[in-house]
Amino acid sequence: KCGPVLPDSLVLEIFLRLPHDAVLRAGLTCRQWLAVSRDEFLWRELFYSYYRIPRLVPRHPAAVSWYREFKRLFDCIPCVEVQTLREHTDQVLHLAFSHRGHRFSSCSKDCTVKVRYRPDGNISLVHSSSMRQFNWGYTQFSQFNADDSLLLVSGVYLGPHHSSSGEIAVISLENYTLLSRVRNKPYDVFGCWLNETHLISGNLHWIGNMTSCSVLWLNKAFQDIESENVNVVKRLFKIQNINASTIRTVMVAHCRRHDNPDLLLDYEAQSQARRQKGQQQHHHQPLLFDLATSGSEDEEEQEEEEDRKNVGQKELEIETQVAQLMGRAYTKPPDPSLTEPSESGEEDKTYLLFTTGSLTYSPHQIGIKRIRPEQMTTSGPVLGEERSSDEFFDSLDHVIDIHGHIIGMGLSPDHRYLYVNSRAWPAGCVISDPMSPPPIAEEIDLHVIDLKSLREERRSLRAHRAFTPNDECFFIFLDVSRDFVASGAEDKHGYIWDRHYNICLARLAHDDVVNSVAFSPADQELLLSASDDSTIKVWRSPRMIRLAQASARPPRPRSLLPSWLSRSKNSCINGKP
């Protein structure tokens, strides 16, 4: 079964010209194949040429050979559709896995949240809740708490077109009962867990036509019967907004692993790490709100919106100047410890991340605020007692300007890196009217921010596209695994990139906009994607599909001939007939 002997250069040329799905199944049976498969120089040349990676990019720090690395990028990407889930009856907006990866939830324009269970790879629907009874228009986001016992569900109220009110519900995953509901405004704050029992929500108060105050609240997920007199709500931060901007999209980053991340994206830091390794070897407030008042609040909100539209440009400019003066006079100074190294070097810092802005209403900045240990519980001073009259607002500890409309954020599993979807503004543009933001690009840039150095890392990733204008822009959720990052897009595809090499590896087709993607925390070769086509698609890697097929095959019947020959041979050796 041995083919002709081919020159190594010809073998490499054959591989370079093979289509993508045939590279590792070329069927070359020449005698040189074993030698070629172990030839690191040939596989390195193939790797850089096939994936069009600049030669300056080093090999992945965890890779043991170029052959294994080529095989990883080809064989371990979840790009093969294995199942389509059709339980939702309208657009599917968000997906979330539990931390152990055995459950996942989905939110949809059909106003339901669904929870599915996958014990052995078989997906089954175990719970579905409709939130229409609470006057919700739709569910938009969900998140499991750290021990996977509670599910946070964020939704949008039914109301006037310009309404920005929403609500957060907490559901027990033991018996799927509703434990609490918390008001959330604007609704695209979404909400998030701070720890196993406390969540963060938002509220918005308009001070003028373009000046407002965002209040971020810490809420206990449920109220114990025996602790009626203990605070269940506490104000975390009160932040001034100017030029019609607001705080949105809150998330929490726990930085305990910043010095030992899963993957360092700085190539120089990678080489240094390898060298070192070689050398060493409140006030009580009920959580359940009376929803009878929600209609009147929405009407007041719409009236405020109309009033703001009728104000002249000169008055708006004066208001912004006054707001900036007031902010400088009545804002607490930023926390200097955000960028200063701790004395022990092992301090567990917790950051609150959110989108905000200072030039226009569209979110174009990442705000960072440190949450101190004493702030992580609702016990302590009641509203405002810890704040002096000269420090009415909290300042942001750090701001990162993206220079574009932010439409998605996601943290790496080790919380070292923040990935940000944005649509860029024209270079050199000047914003003269906060209510008229610059036009935004169709291409989506995926920025990478190092939360240890607080600076952008590398060039942004690009492949996916969006088409809606500024005032209709919606959130496109992304997700990050140990080695990959994935995102939805408005071009009817999801996308997967390699985090180390900065290359796009796969496109995942749907029939409409892809709103959300989610990797399994337990297995990055399993990915889910959700779309406006009302479906959830399940994607697996070619490697895992082969393993599943092999385990499903019945065992081959054992042949008696080899064992008989073996016994006969042993008998002859021992001199027995």
Side-chain angles (χ1 to χ4, degrees):
K1 293 184 179 181
C2 217
V5 176
L6 302 177
D8 289 351
S9 59
L10 182 56
V11 172
L12 180 59
E13 182 68 20
I14 291 172
F15 267 78
L16 288 173
R17 294 179 179 276
L18 285 174
H20 192 286
D21 60 350
V23 171
L24 294 179
R25 294 171 293 162
L28 293 176
T29 57
C30 60
R31 284 195 301 268
Q32 289 173 296
W33 171 240
L34 285 177
V36 168
S37 67
R38 294 183 176 90
D39 192 318
E40 282 292 275
F41 172 78
L42 290 176
W43 281 105
R44 185 186 66 184
E45 295 302 306
L46 172 61
F47 187 87
Y48 282 119
S49 301
Y50 183 78
Y51 288 108
R52 296 183 176 91
I53 298 172
R55 300 283 174 146
L56 295 175
V57 178
R59 195 172 69 189
H60 191 291
V64 296
S65 70
W66 286 105
Y67 168 71
R68 294 275 184 91
E69 190 66 349
F70 188 99
K71 190 173 182 181
R72 177 182 74 86
L73 293 190
F74 173 81
D75 216 23
C76 301
I77 311 300
C79 58
V80 182
E81 181 185 343
V82 295
Q83 191 174 357
T84 301
L85 307 175
R86 304 180 186 276
E87 291 96 345
H88 284 290
T89 58
D90 207 334
Q91 301 168 2
V92 188
L93 302 180
H94 184 253
L95 296 165
F97 267 103
S98 63
H99 292 81
R100 287 180 289 166
H102 65 302
R103 287 190 181 112
F104 67 91
S105 59
S106 58
C107 295
S108 168
K109 280 286 185 74
D110 64 13
C111 206
T112 65
V113 56
K114 299 184 187 296
V115 180
R116 296 170 181 83
Y117 183 57
R118 49 175 309 274
D120 302 312
N122 298 315
I123 298 173
S124 58
L125 180 66
V126 294
H127 177 72
S128 178
S129 290
S130 174
M131 306 303 287
R132 291 207 189 277
Q133 58 180 315
F134 305 117
N135 203 35
W136 287 24
Y138 56 91
T139 58
Q140 60 172 352
F141 174 82
S142 60
Q143 186 183 45
F144 292 81
N145 70 339
D147 61 5
D148 293 337
S149 61
L150 302 174
L151 181 68
L152 177 155
V153 183
S154 176
V156 180
Y157 272 143
L158 283 172
H161 175 68
H162 295 291
S163 172
S164 63
S165 295
E167 193 175 57
I168 296 171
V170 177
I171 296 175
S172 166
L173 292 174
E174 182 179 355
N175 50 18
Y176 300 104
T177 56
L178 179 66
L179 298 180
S180 61
R181 288 161 42 217
V182 180
R183 197 67 181 264
N184 192 41
K185 181 180 178 181
Y187 59 79
D188 50 4
V189 168
F190 292 113
C192 65
W193 289 105
L194 176 61
N195 50 40
E196 288 88 347
T197 55
H198 292 80
L199 60 102
I200 296 173
S201 65
N203 203 354
L204 182 67
H205 305 283
W206 285 100
I207 302 172
N209 293 290
M210 294 207 305
T211 309
S212 64
C213 174
S214 288
V215 182
L216 297 173
W217 295 92
L218 182 64
N219 310 268
K220 194 171 183 182
F222 51 87
Q223 181 174 346
D224 299 319
I225 298 175
E226 60 274 10
S227 61
E228 291 182 355
N229 297 320
V230 176
N231 296 341
V232 292
V233 176
K234 182 180 179 180
R235 185 171 65 195
L236 270 180
F237 305 115
K238 187 175 184 180
I239 298 169
Q240 184 196 43
N241 306 308
I242 60 173
N243 288 328
S245 65
T246 61
I247 285 178
R248 317 178 193 193
T249 319
V250 298
M251 59 177 56
V252 172
H254 298 284
C255 305
R256 63 179 69 93
R257 293 185 56 205
H258 272 195
D259 294 325
N260 185 29
D262 295 326
L263 175 65
L264 269 173
L265 296 184
D266 187 323
Y267 296 141
E268 181 59 30
Q270 283 182 12
S271 61
Q272 289 178 3
R274 281 195 294 269
R275 286 194 295 267
Q276 291 174 1
K277 185 177 180 181
Q279 292 168 359
Q280 296 174 358
Q281 222 35 264
H282 270 332
H283 169 68
H284 178 70
Q285 179 176 337
L287 284 174
L288 290 174
F289 290 90
D290 182 3
L291 297 182
T293 63
S294 63
S296 60
E297 289 183 15
D298 288 335
E299 290 169 7
E300 291 173 7
E301 183 182 326
Q302 190 161 16
E303 289 174 6
E304 290 175 3
E305 181 76 22
E306 294 299 325
D307 290 341
R308 288 195 291 275
K309 288 181 179 178
N310 297 328
V311 178
Q313 181 66 29
K314 188 66 177 176
E315 292 172 306
L316 295 179
E317 291 175 3
I318 293 173
E319 179 191 313
T320 299
Q321 293 173 6
V322 172
Q324 289 173 333
L325 289 171
M326 188 177 73
R328 283 194 289 267
Y330 295 99
T331 299
K332 294 172 67 175
D335 187 348
S337 66
L338 187 71
T339 54
E340 293 177 355
S342 61
E343 295 180 2
S344 65
E346 299 178 355
E347 186 179 2
D348 180 12
K349 293 183 180 179
T350 300
Y351 297 159
L352 182 66
L353 313 175
F354 46 84
T355 63
T356 182
S358 60
L359 304 175
T360 180
Y361 68 82
S362 63
H364 56 276
Q365 293 175 326
I366 306 295
I368 303 178
K369 189 71 182 165
R370 184 177 179 188
I371 305 176
R372 294 195 165 275
E374 63 270 16
Q375 294 176 296
M376 296 188 187
T377 174
T378 52
S379 62
V382 295
L383 305 184
E385 280 188 2
E386 76 287 1
R387 191 185 308 272
S388 70
S389 58
D390 293 334
E391 297 177 338
F392 190 73
F393 297 115
D394 294 290
S395 63
L396 304 187
D397 295 332
H398 192 77
V399 176
I400 299 172
D401 204 306
I402 300 298
H403 195 75
H405 192 128
I406 298 171
I407 59 170
M409 296 200 304
L411 284 165
S412 60
D414 53 22
H415 288 200
R416 170 71 181 262
Y417 297 98
L418 176 68
Y419 287 74
V420 182
N421 268 337
S422 80
R423 296 173 61 184
W425 291 337
C429 67
V430 177
I431 300 174
S432 56
D433 181 5
M435 301 309 294
S436 299
I440 51 179
E442 287 188 354
E443 293 82 10
I444 301 175
D445 293 324
L446 186 50
H447 303 264
V448 187
I449 296 169
D450 186 341
L451 292 179
K452 184 177 182 181
S453 64
L454 298 178
R455 62 180 174 85
E456 189 164 351
E457 191 73 47
R458 301 188 190 171
R459 61 178 177 82
S460 57
L461 306 174
R462 180 178 285 183
H464 46 333
R465 300 169 69 87
F467 310 106
T468 49
N470 249 321
D471 55 347
E472 298 176 16
C473 226
F474 55 86
F475 217 71
I476 293 178
F477 293 95
L478 56 96
D479 197 24
V480 190
S481 71
R482 186 189 67 240
D483 295 316
F484 309 125
V485 55
S487 174
E490 291 184 44
D491 58 11
K492 302 181 182 180
H493 287 85
Y495 291 82
I496 302 175
W497 294 265
D498 184 81
R499 292 178 59 197
H500 174 75
Y501 298 107
N502 264 34
I503 55 172
C504 184
L505 296 170
R507 298 169 76 233
L508 315 174
H510 271 269
D511 295 329
D512 211 328
V513 171
V514 178
N515 296 307
S516 178
V517 291
F519 287 102
S520 167
D523 177 9
Q524 66 174 357
E525 296 180 43
L526 168 65
L527 179 75
L528 305 176
S529 60
S531 170
D532 278 0
D533 62 16
S534 305
T535 67
I536 298 170
K537 290 190 176 183
V538 184
W539 307 85
R540 293 295 265 160
S541 68
R543 185 180 77 92
M544 294 305 296
I545 290 175
R546 287 199 309 274
L547 291 175
Q549 291 172 344
S551 63
R553 289 195 203 106
R556 292 182 180 179
R558 185 179 176 185
S559 173
L560 297 178
L561 182 61
S563 60
W564 179 81
L565 289 173
S566 176
R567 286 198 302 271
S568 299
K569 184 178 179 180
N570 291 335
S571 299
C572 292
I573 292 173
N574 296 328
K576 296 180 181 179

